[in-house]
Amino acid sequence: MISDALVARLCDRVSAASADTAGTVDVYNGGTLAKVPRSSPRDVADAVEAARQVQRLWAGVAVADRVAIFERFHALLLRHTDELLDILQAETGKSRRDAFLEVSAPLVTVGYYARKAPKLLAPRRREGMVPGLVKTVELRAPKGVVGIITPWNYPFALAFTDLIPALIAGNAVVLKPDTQTALCTLYGVDLLYQAGLPHGLLRVVIGDGPVVGSAIVDTADYIGFTGSTRTGREVAARAGHRLVGCSLELGGKNPLLVLSDASVGKAVAGAVQTCFSNSGQLCMSPERLFVHTAVYDDFTQRFVNEVAKMNLAATFDYSADMGSLTSQRQLETVTRHVEDARAKGATVLTGGKPRPELGPFFYEPTVLTDVTPEMLCYDNETFGPVVAVYRVVDDAEAIERANATSYGLNASVYSKSVPHAEQVAARLKAGTVNINDGHVVGFGSADAPMGGMKDSGVGRRNGIEGLLKYTEAQNVSVQRVPLSTPPRWLPFGWYAKGMQALLRTVRKAGIR
Ligand code: NAD
């Protein structure tokens, strides 16, 4: 389905000097999908250096002209969606529905920053030290070369929601996708160049994380990392050693709360949608459901019925509710977590087994109860279609148990009373809380910052933060009359008294 000519064109975009390649898997059948070039640490260093040259010119381009390229990219993305969905599905095994939602995310990002960036990046007047006598302006300069490292689960959305603001802010980008999902990322990069991005401003390197990813962390001027908490700690330590900034979007063990006054029908529909998006390989997917005892039996029975009816299929149309896991490694983790839970006394209400007749990495959507702390899936991220349902007696218990994790990425709360749900949300330690939805409304609200508390990350994507993190703030202050040093003829004591009088006056006037 993906032509050799297209693969060759996309692979031409990779910065790799040698002929070394890595094979990627056609997830629905386990065969070889493509051979993609492999970069070396030398290639990374060369890519960063070459990108730095182009970035100097790009920083001088007006923000409105930068944005115009992304407007054209937006149009191209809409025109080429189907071809991109085919690649994305082949590389990840996700359903067409999940692939479609993924490709839509960068469209929202472009729309948001196209409107906001010109103002956010413009010089901004700040209060000077003394009103009228000092003029102060805040400037926003690009960091330089931003290194972006992304995982395989939402390879297109995560790369582009981060690199779009990085480029609009005036940076160059060196991007390392996961090898397995390199083609869909390269497809988007190709569209950006078709839209008019200056040659060499965005470079792609491919290879093993500890080798090629580390080389980026060792050379770029800022790192945008998305991946596991374990790797995030290594990236942060390395970036910290160099004193370059980084943002870290990491793992989660997300709770979904069904309060006593929830609409059970809406909670069931929402839980099915969010728990099994991308077969649960979504950092924001809930894996722990805390259900108030008043609605527990009704919710659990209807939830299990709906999950059992889900249509799993390896298909390139919109008929499947859920697709495949992406790799043998994911299949092994999911199987290990479920078997461990079963062996230690958990009850499997539905699912609980692989489905090799559908494809090598398919696994059933699985609902567990009686999950206890000694089980692997209790507080480790499964990152698969496996959820545990817990009965709680009141909001306090739901909140306490929801927060009893080292993670703090996303949470969902279901209630017919929005004020009630909002009160609960404010007590949850999670960077995003979705009310009467699983994850889509939080992620899609691009004006608000989004990211993790606790071990789920540092920094935010989206919103003002998602753009300004790729810039250095510069304070430029002009002294209009001598203030910092007294004239030679004025004794310092008199100067000190004068300054104190001035400070008193501006304080009394409420100006400073
Ligand atoms: P991972 O940490 O193994 O890999 C992520 C990326 O980092 C890959 O490109 C990998 O090659 C690279 N990498 C690996 N070791 C590296 C190193 N030492 N230095 C630099 N780069 C390195 O994660 P994964 O298994 O690919 O992804 C799944 C994880 O990502 C899950 O924990 C999931 O929750 C998390 N995730 C978080 C978000 C979010 O926005 N918070 C989004 C998606 C996925």
Side-chain angles (χ1 to χ4, degrees):
M1 189 184 282
I2 306 169
S3 73
D4 291 347
L6 177 61
V7 172
R9 192 178 91 216
L10 298 180
C11 288
D12 255 5
R13 295 256 175 231
V14 181
S15 301
S18 84
D20 198 8
T21 58
T24 68
V25 177
D26 195 338
V27 174
Y28 281 161
N29 58 38
T32 299
L33 179 67
K35 288 202 180 309
V36 295
R38 274 158 65 103
S39 313
S40 66
R42 178 78 252 162
D43 293 324
V44 174
D46 290 348
V48 169
E49 211 28 63
R52 210 181 284 294
Q53 307 299 327
V54 188
Q55 188 271 332
R56 292 199 179 104
L57 299 174
W58 179 241
V61 173
V63 177
D65 293 335
R66 294 181 206 154
V67 162
I69 295 169
F70 290 89
E71 298 279 22
R72 290 195 289 275
F73 170 71
H74 188 282
L76 282 170
L77 195 49
L78 284 171
R79 203 175 311 148
H80 292 277
T81 297
D82 282 338
E83 193 170 32
L84 176 55
L85 294 183
D86 290 344
I87 301 174
L88 189 50
Q89 282 196 271
E91 285 188 323
T92 63
K94 65 179 64 185
S95 71
R96 193 111 179 144
R97 298 178 193 184
D98 289 330
F100 175 79
L101 287 174
E102 169 164 4
V103 168
S104 307
L107 297 171
V108 176
T109 309
V110 169
Y112 175 69
Y113 288 118
R115 281 183 294 115
K116 298 281 180 171
K119 193 159 175 216
L120 288 170
L121 296 172
R124 184 167 170 202
R125 276 300 277 271
R126 293 291 194 174
E127 291 179 353
M129 185 173 90
V130 179
L133 305 185
V134 174
K135 173 189 166 196
T136 296
V137 176
E138 175 192 326
L139 302 181
R140 287 284 168 174
K143 291 273 183 187
V145 179
V146 172
I148 292 182
I149 301 173
T150 50
W152 46 265
N153 66 323
Y154 276 77
F156 187 78
L158 296 169
F160 282 84
T161 51
D162 281 354
L163 70 80
I164 289 165
L167 289 169
I168 289 179
N171 298 285
V173 168
V174 173
L175 168 68
K176 192 201 93 59
D178 189 281
T179 304
Q180 170 60 25
T181 51
L183 287 183
C184 67
T185 317
L186 286 163
Y187 192 88
V189 170
D190 195 59
L191 289 185
L192 252 180
Y193 278 115
Q194 287 179 42
L197 195 75
H199 176 70
L201 188 67
L202 166 59
R203 288 167 192 262
V204 180
V205 289
I206 297 177
D208 293 342
V211 179
V212 171
S214 297
I216 293 180
V217 182
D218 287 346
T219 44
D221 304 317
Y222 183 87
I223 314 299
F225 173 81
T226 306
S228 63
T229 297
R230 186 177 49 79
T231 310
R233 286 187 206 282
E234 286 177 37
V235 168
R238 248 182 144 98
H241 184 71
R242 291 185 56 225
L243 295 178
V244 299
C246 62
S247 60
L248 307 165
E249 303 289 344
L250 309 177
K253 187 75 183 174
N254 308 302
L256 182 149
L257 281 60
V258 183
L259 306 184
S260 58
D261 55 359
S263 153
V264 171
K266 284 186 183 152
V268 166
V272 171
Q273 192 273 332
T274 189
C275 295
F276 304 109
S277 279
N278 197 25
S279 307
Q281 302 166 120
L282 166 61
C283 57
M284 299 178 82
S285 273
E287 295 189 358
R288 302 177 299 142
L289 276 49
F290 298 102
V291 184
H292 193 278
T293 189
V295 289
Y296 180 91
D297 293 335
D298 190 18
F299 172 87
T300 306
Q301 191 184 18
R302 288 162 70 177
F303 179 55
V304 167
N305 286 346
E306 290 302 314
V307 174
K309 280 195 283 194
M310 285 178 74
N311 173 30
L312 276 61
T315 157
F316 287 86
D317 59 32
Y318 286 102
S319 59
D321 294 317
M322 198 180 102
S324 172
L325 292 168
T326 297
S327 64
Q328 180 65 26
R329 195 185 78 167
Q330 285 308 111
L331 179 65
E332 283 165 10
T333 305
V334 169
T335 306
R336 191 169 68 250
H337 279 206
V338 173
E339 290 316 312
D340 169 80
R342 212 194 296 260
K344 291 174 180 163
T347 306
V348 180
L349 294 178
T350 184
K353 54 181 194 308
R355 294 289 296 274
E357 76 281 13
L358 300 175
F361 313 129
F362 271 82
Y363 197 95
E364 289 178 340
T366 301
V367 181
L368 307 175
T369 54
D370 307 318
V371 169
T372 51
E374 62 277 8
M375 299 175 190
L376 284 173
C377 68
Y378 183 78
D379 56 7
N380 293 295
E381 185 184 39
T382 304
F383 216 49
V386 180
V387 298
V389 189
Y390 304 92
R391 186 191 293 270
V392 292
V393 295
D394 56 18
D395 289 354
E397 186 189 358
I399 292 163
E400 192 191 322
R401 296 182 69 176
N403 288 338
T405 164
S406 59
Y407 292 112
L409 189 61
N410 184 46
S412 325
V413 182
Y414 280 83
S415 165
K416 281 187 210 139
S417 160
V418 171
H420 180 196
E422 285 173 335
Q423 278 169 16
V424 170
R427 293 166 63 194
L428 292 172
K429 299 267 181 287
T432 312
V433 183
N434 295 268
I435 292 176
N436 294 330
D437 184 54
H439 64 276
V440 176
V441 294
F443 188 76
S445 298
D447 193 28
M450 209 211 94
M453 296 183 184
K454 301 193 278 182
D455 290 357
S456 289
V458 174
R460 296 289 183 267
R461 59 164 59 100
N462 288 349
I464 296 172
E465 287 92 332
L467 180 76
L468 295 188
K469 71 182 179 185
Y470 297 122
T471 65
E472 293 283 3
Q474 188 181 34
N475 164 340
V476 178
S477 293
V478 182
Q479 176 176 246
R480 287 177 164 144
V481 297
L483 282 167
S484 53
T485 46
R488 295 177 77 125
W489 50 265
L490 184 66
F492 201 94
W494 290 23
Y495 166 78
K497 280 208 162 63
M499 285 304 283
Q500 282 184 327
L502 181 63
L503 288 170
R504 202 173 293 121
T505 309
V506 294
R507 186 72 220 107
K508 270 197 180 147
I511 303 170
R512 291 285 185 277

